[in-house]
Amino acid sequence: MPVHRRQPSIEFLEFMGVVKENGNEQTSIPPVHTPLSYDYVLVAKTMDKQEREVFKMQTEYIEELKKKNLKVTKIIDDDLVFYGIQAPKEIFEKYRYLLKVSDACNWSSDQNIVPLSTRIRIVHFILNHTPIRSGEVLRDLMKMKVFEAKFCLHEKKKQRELKESWARWTACLQGQPINAVRNYFGEKVALYYLWLGWYTYLLIPPAIIGVIVFLYGLAFFNSSPLIKEVCEANIVMCPLCDKKCKVWQLSDTCTYAKVSLLFDNNGTVLFAMFMAVWATLFLEFWKRHRASYVCEWKVSDWSEDEEELILEIVNNVNCEPKTYKHSYLRSTLVLICVTAMILVIIGLTHVLVVFRVIAAVLLAEGSWEFLSTHSNSGAMMLGAIFHYFIITVMTRVNRVVAMKLCEIEKTRSFAATEKSFTVKMFTFQFFTYFSSLFYVAFFLGRINGHPGGYVRIAGKWRLEECHPSGCLTDLFIQMAIIMVLKQTISNVFEFTGPWLHRWFKKRKTQKLQRKCAHCYLKDDIETKEGAELCDNCKLRDWGSNYRLNDVDSFSLFNEFLEMVIQFSFTTIFVAAFPLAPLLALINNIIEIRLDAIKMVTLERRLVPKKTNDIGVWIDVLEAIGVLAVIANGLVIGVSSDFVPRLVYRYYYGPCVNSTATDIDCMVGYINNSLSIARMDDRNLKEFTSFQMKTPGGLNATYCSYKDYRSNEDYSLTPQFWLILAVRFAFVILFEHVVVICKFIAAWFVPSAPMHVKNDRLFDKLNRLKEELRSCEV
């Protein structure tokens, strides 16, 4: 027998600490005997006479299973009835044969053996596609409370091994045993953790560089002429709201200007370019690692649709294929509904804008001096918290709407339903999370008008203004609050929710006897085919699994969605928040173990699914990578003050016509970026004499505001149009340069290593030769 050669990509991941595999561990799943505790368990409530119809449906469903030669064992425990389901060997032999003759699945690792993970998947499919006479399947019966729960069973021995090597907090900085996860939970879960581990590892460089960019801004705290100009300015600024707000000194916002410089400096431009290329390299290297593992697992050509067709035949030899259908009417209806839903979400962003405007006015007119002075900052923080509340509510609404739209589409298979649901749910969630951020990034302070011509909501409330130091700090605060709230609160609920649920269920149920010595030995040694536990030990095992939290087909989807949304935060507006990769890195180190502990100890076992990719998520991630280039280009070119500073330095600053070397070229920038509104202007009727009274008690005859307008007629100055032209030129140049870099990076890194391609080539050649030899014999 030739010695199995490990893929270099896998060895690299082991060396870097992303995964932790034993050198002698089998990558192919070992054969198993009939499980001691059955393939699947159904749970129902004991019925009384009033529920005779429900009992009849329950009995009819169990009889239908028995007709398919499934062994059903019934055990009653107080008010619960447990049905243990065990499939005969013939079903799995049929599945194995159909795999061999299929087009796409015939080279899989399941060709010669049927591991327990595959047994569970087959039985799960049969249970979900066995109707009773009236047409209801298991999903309908669960809704009608004919059955309380359905689940596959945890294997105690492997569960303990996973706890020791993976599902514990002390393993946070260790690699993941991906092969062991695959053997227990299936390829789909294993690929999720492999992707998450690689993503977390690759966050280390951007996290370090993000901190360096942050420290770069910190280094210029005391020496920056921009901060000095703000902190030492004697400039009177126009009131930020009507009636109660008074003029204020620009120097009062010295701290705000310092915070702005931490994130709005020259380093953020290079960092944004780096992150765009990083996103491409991350995805390209992920494709290589995925290809190495799926080749090792012999599932490179696996087709979920084809396996579903095989399972249909295994379940019912006389089944009819689900034909491909397309309805323009249904597609149009779905498109209209998706558009309407997106408009509703954007409408909520408008509600958020109105909330912030009204909150700013109420805080400014309040009796608390501190809140009155910092009304805009307070309104911005309240808006971020209100935005998080909207996200929490809309997540539930989005899920329901996405599921209903999938039902309207009438997709052909579960794989198609999952893909359709993923695209719709992510689209809704993306707009829910980012609509408000897009407003802050690209509209805040740009559509509010000017003294004498302010834009108002319902003719009453003025829109918000940006700080003279720029709008990027508003975007940073909004992102920081949402990211921190989302990661901390969701992680706390994600762990404590299942733990408390299991604890309450444990308290409600009676304590079962300890496992008898005879069954304990059976559980720890290789057992003969057909060996079983006693009824008491079965009940103990089934009851402990029943008390765990429920899972469904979309449980893994929730984890993926959370991480992809985080990836969006990390890449799309990273120019405004260089610390986002650091927060993501810290969160992910915790998230991997939290999800592992939850899956292994707090939740029922997920039905193992076989696949060779992360599905439509790879397309979503690539779309985010492209959007990140556009968004970061616009953030630097439009939202930040990078371009106005550049124009001032080389066109309006003191260094343009001066030969002096001892002067900083940015001196006078803040004053240059402000315009003046005079009280003696007849068109200016917005400010009262009360508002124009300075903190020192003097009456101000004019005030300044951030804009490039004429002091006489408020028309836009030539400097405004020059800056606008340079902004557009920068955005176009930035995006073209970064996109070219992305394409070069994608071309330079092949999506599959040559070792993988050659291994697949030789494997197929050897298999074909074996088939030919067997025919000749």
Side-chain angles (χ1 to χ4, degrees):
M1 287 287 291
V3 178
H4 176 71
R5 197 177 46 163
R6 305 203 71 196
Q7 296 292 341
S9 179
I10 297 174
E11 290 178 350
F12 169 77
L13 290 175
E14 286 183 30
F15 175 73
M16 301 310 291
V18 179
V19 299
K20 181 183 67 177
E21 312 290 5
N22 295 326
N24 57 355
E25 186 178 345
Q26 288 178 298
T27 53
S28 60
I29 304 175
V32 294
H33 297 296
T34 305
L36 294 169
S37 251
Y38 288 65
D39 300 315
Y40 220 86
V41 175
L42 298 176
V43 185
K45 293 279 187 185
T46 51
M47 307 291 175
D48 55 24
K49 291 180 181 178
Q50 284 77 23
E51 297 168 312
R52 188 170 292 171
E53 188 62 35
V54 174
F55 178 73
K56 196 186 294 183
M57 294 172 79
Q58 187 185 117
T59 308
E60 186 183 340
Y61 181 76
I62 296 299
E63 288 303 316
E64 289 294 329
L65 295 181
K66 288 179 179 178
K67 286 178 187 176
K68 296 182 177 181
N69 294 325
L70 268 68
K71 180 183 175 183
V72 181
T73 301
K74 180 179 178 180
I75 302 177
I76 300 174
D77 177 40
D78 293 334
D79 62 335
L80 293 175
V81 182
F82 290 88
Y83 293 98
I85 315 293
Q86 199 170 34
K89 188 192 294 184
E90 294 75 27
I91 285 179
F92 306 119
E93 291 296 325
K94 195 188 299 182
Y95 172 82
R96 240 183 52 188
Y97 174 76
L98 289 171
L99 274 188
K100 281 189 177 183
V101 299
S102 71
D103 293 329
C105 303
N106 57 344
W107 300 117
S108 80
S109 56
D110 280 353
Q111 190 179 17
N112 299 315
I113 59 168
V114 181
L116 183 56
S117 56
T118 302
R119 288 179 61 99
I120 292 170
R121 189 166 66 253
I122 295 168
V123 174
H124 174 77
F125 186 90
I126 292 171
L127 292 180
N128 282 308
H129 292 79
T130 299
I132 57 177
R133 279 194 295 272
S134 53
E136 285 90 353
V137 291
L138 185 57
R139 187 176 64 175
D140 305 317
L141 298 177
M142 296 280 289
K143 287 179 182 176
M144 297 162 69
K145 297 296 180 183
V146 175
F147 293 102
E148 284 290 311
K150 55 171 186 170
F151 51 86
C152 51
L153 296 162
H154 279 291
E155 300 168 71
K156 295 293 181 186
K157 189 177 178 183
K158 289 189 177 179
Q159 204 177 13
R160 281 196 302 269
E161 289 171 2
L162 284 173
K163 272 189 198 177
E164 290 169 7
S165 63
W166 181 51
R168 56 187 174 88
W169 291 114
T170 50
C172 274
L173 300 178
Q174 295 177 13
Q176 302 183 82
I178 294 297
N179 279 326
V181 174
R182 176 250 181 169
N183 292 346
Y184 192 72
F185 287 112
E187 285 80 359
K188 197 166 192 175
V189 172
L191 284 174
Y192 163 71
Y193 281 106
L194 181 64
W195 175 84
L196 182 55
W198 175 242
Y199 168 45
T200 303
Y201 178 77
L202 230 63
L203 277 171
I204 295 172
I208 293 170
I209 296 172
V211 171
I212 291 170
V213 169
F214 178 81
L215 294 175
Y216 171 79
L218 198 64
F220 289 94
F221 247 33
N222 299 319
S223 59
S224 171
L226 301 179
I227 291 177
K228 280 186 179 178
E229 196 172 344
V230 171
C231 296
E232 297 172 5
N234 191 26
I235 299 172
V236 177
M237 303 297 294
C238 293
L240 295 172
C241 68
D242 299 325
K243 297 178 183 178
K244 295 282 184 180
C245 295
K246 293 184 178 181
V247 291
W248 49 283
Q249 291 288 333
L250 179 61
S251 57
D252 294 343
T253 60
C254 179
T255 305
Y256 198 96
K258 288 179 178 179
V259 172
S260 296
L261 193 71
L262 291 176
F263 306 101
D264 189 2
N265 56 61
N266 296 337
T268 56
V269 180
L270 296 174
F271 185 53
M273 294 180 72
F274 165 79
M275 284 302 293
V277 178
W278 172 88
T280 302
L281 291 173
F282 158 67
L283 290 175
E284 293 305 315
F285 278 109
W286 156 248
K287 291 173 188 175
R288 291 173 64 84
H289 299 319
R290 179 205 66 85
S292 295
Y293 264 97
V294 298
C295 178
E296 193 93 351
W297 295 337
K298 304 276 189 272
V299 290
S300 298
D301 299 319
W302 187 263
S303 167
E304 290 181 64
D305 283 336
E306 191 149 332
E307 193 206 21
E308 199 164 327
L309 191 61
I310 289 169
L311 291 172
E312 288 277 5
I313 300 168
V314 169
N315 181 44
N316 180 11
V317 180
N318 301 315
C319 70
E320 293 293 326
K322 292 179 182 176
T323 55
Y324 290 95
K325 293 177 182 177
H326 181 264
S327 168
Y328 285 104
L329 179 62
R330 288 181 184 278
S331 299
T332 305
L333 181 60
V334 168
L335 186 62
I336 291 169
C337 290
V338 168
T339 306
M341 189 65 187
I342 290 171
L343 291 174
V344 168
I345 295 168
I346 293 172
L348 288 173
T349 303
H350 287 81
V351 171
L352 192 58
V353 172
V354 173
F355 171 82
R356 284 176 53 155
V357 169
I358 295 173
V361 172
L362 293 176
L363 289 174
E365 295 177 355
S367 55
W368 290 0
E369 188 178 343
F370 179 80
L371 288 177
S372 181
T373 308
H374 303 88
S375 58
N376 272 21
S377 299
M380 180 175 51
M381 290 182 184
L382 284 174
I385 295 167
F386 182 52
H387 185 201
Y388 179 77
F389 173 75
I390 289 174
I391 288 168
T392 306
V393 174
M394 286 306 295
T395 298
R396 297 178 180 275
V397 175
N398 292 342
R399 181 179 296 276
V400 173
V401 173
M403 283 303 298
K404 292 292 181 187
L405 291 176
C406 288
E407 288 173 15
I408 292 171
E409 274 184 319
K410 289 190 175 178
T411 46
R412 180 182 160 273
S413 62
F414 176 77
T417 304
E418 191 176 33
K419 181 178 179 181
S420 177
F421 176 79
T422 299
V423 172
K424 291 177 181 61
M425 185 65 184
F426 174 76
T427 303
F428 296 154
Q429 286 294 89
F430 182 84
F431 276 94
T432 303
Y433 275 93
F434 288 95
S435 293
S436 172
L437 296 178
F438 274 99
Y439 164 76
V440 173
F442 307 125
F443 297 100
L444 178 65
R446 289 171 180 78
I447 55 173
N448 59 305
H450 57 84
Y454 283 119
V455 176
R456 298 175 182 274
I457 295 173
K460 189 175 181 182
W461 296 291
R462 272 171 54 185
L463 286 179
E464 303 164 276
E465 294 180 37
C466 278
H467 185 267
S469 299
C471 295
L472 219 57
T473 307
D474 296 53
L475 182 58
F476 149 68
I477 293 172
Q478 187 97 345
M479 280 187 68
I481 290 173
I482 292 170
M483 254 191 112
V484 171
L485 281 176
K486 176 184 172 294
Q487 292 184 169
T488 53
I489 294 176
S490 65
N491 281 349
V492 167
F493 278 101
E494 196 176 332
F495 183 74
T496 56
W499 185 84
L500 288 171
H501 185 266
R502 187 185 66 168
W503 184 75
F504 278 121
K505 264 195 171 181
K506 259 187 177 178
R507 290 197 53 154
K508 284 183 181 178
T509 53
Q510 288 184 349
K511 196 169 183 181
L512 292 166
Q513 297 177 29
R514 290 174 65 85
K515 187 177 284 186
C516 64
H518 186 59
C519 294
Y520 190 85
L521 287 171
K522 278 184 187 177
D523 222 5
D524 268 5
I525 61 172
E526 285 293 318
T527 53
K528 293 179 181 179
E529 189 173 339
E532 289 191 22
L533 301 175
C534 66
D535 281 0
N536 176 64
C537 291
K538 283 178 192 169
L539 186 58
R540 179 187 176 84
D541 192 17
W542 299 353
S544 62
N545 279 269
Y546 171 69
R547 286 193 295 271
L548 297 174
N549 288 271
D550 194 17
V551 292
D552 56 35
S553 303
F554 294 104
S555 294
L556 191 64
F557 166 85
N558 298 331
E559 308 299 340
F560 248 124
L561 179 64
E562 184 184 347
M563 287 297 102
V564 173
I565 290 290
Q566 187 210 78
F567 180 79
S568 305
F569 270 105
T570 308
T571 53
I572 290 178
F573 288 120
V574 75
F577 192 21
L579 295 179
L582 178 64
L583 288 181
L585 175 64
I586 296 167
N587 175 77
N588 288 6
I589 291 170
I590 298 167
E591 182 78 25
I592 290 173
R593 301 305 156 180
L594 190 150
D595 287 348
I597 293 168
K598 195 174 66 174
M599 278 189 188
V600 174
T601 63
L602 299 177
E603 291 181 340
R604 294 169 186 163
R605 186 176 180 177
L606 277 168
V607 175
K609 294 288 181 69
K610 189 178 283 292
T611 187
N612 59 7
D613 205 348
I614 58 173
V616 74
W617 288 116
I618 194 70
D619 300 319
V620 171
L621 290 166
E622 286 181 341
I624 291 168
V626 173
L627 185 60
V629 176
I630 299 168
N632 282 305
L634 288 170
V635 166
I636 296 166
V638 176
S639 306
S640 79
D641 274 7
F642 174 75
V643 170
R645 289 171 192 166
L646 210 63
V647 171
Y648 179 80
R649 175 184 288 271
Y650 295 107
Y651 204 84
Y652 294 99
C655 297
V656 176
N657 298 316
S658 174
T659 56
T661 56
D662 59 340
I663 190 168
D664 194 295
C665 296
M666 294 306 295
V667 170
Y669 168 75
I670 295 294
N671 196 46
N672 175 263
S673 65
L674 299 175
S675 298
I676 293 174
R678 301 185 181 278
M679 282 298 292
D680 57 5
D681 188 346
R682 294 178 182 177
N683 296 320
L684 187 63
K685 300 176 182 178
E686 308 208 87
F687 304 136
T688 62
S689 56
F690 168 78
Q691 289 181 283
M692 296 302 291
K693 196 161 278 187
T694 64
L698 301 173
N699 290 322
T701 55
Y702 65 90
C703 61
S704 300
Y705 62 98
K706 184 177 174 63
D707 209 344
Y708 294 97
R709 290 184 180 273
S710 165
N711 297 337
E712 282 75 37
D713 58 359
Y714 301 107
S715 61
L716 295 168
T717 62
Q719 186 175 354
F720 170 84
W721 296 111
L722 176 61
I723 289 171
L724 185 65
V726 176
R727 282 187 193 274
F728 282 125
F730 173 82
V731 170
I732 293 168
L733 181 65
F734 176 89
E735 289 176 2
H736 278 69
V737 169
V738 175
V739 166
I740 289 169
C741 291
K742 279 172 69 69
F743 278 124
I744 291 172
W747 165 80
F748 190 75
V749 182
S751 58
M754 295 302 108
H755 284 282
V756 170
K757 292 182 177 180
N758 289 330
D759 282 358
R760 288 182 61 193
L761 179 67
F762 282 108
D763 186 49
K764 287 191 176 184
L765 181 66
N766 292 334
R767 286 176 183 271
L768 289 170
K769 286 179 179 178
E770 282 177 22
E771 289 289 329
L772 183 61
R773 280 195 293 268
S774 64
C775 288
E776 288 174 350
V777 172

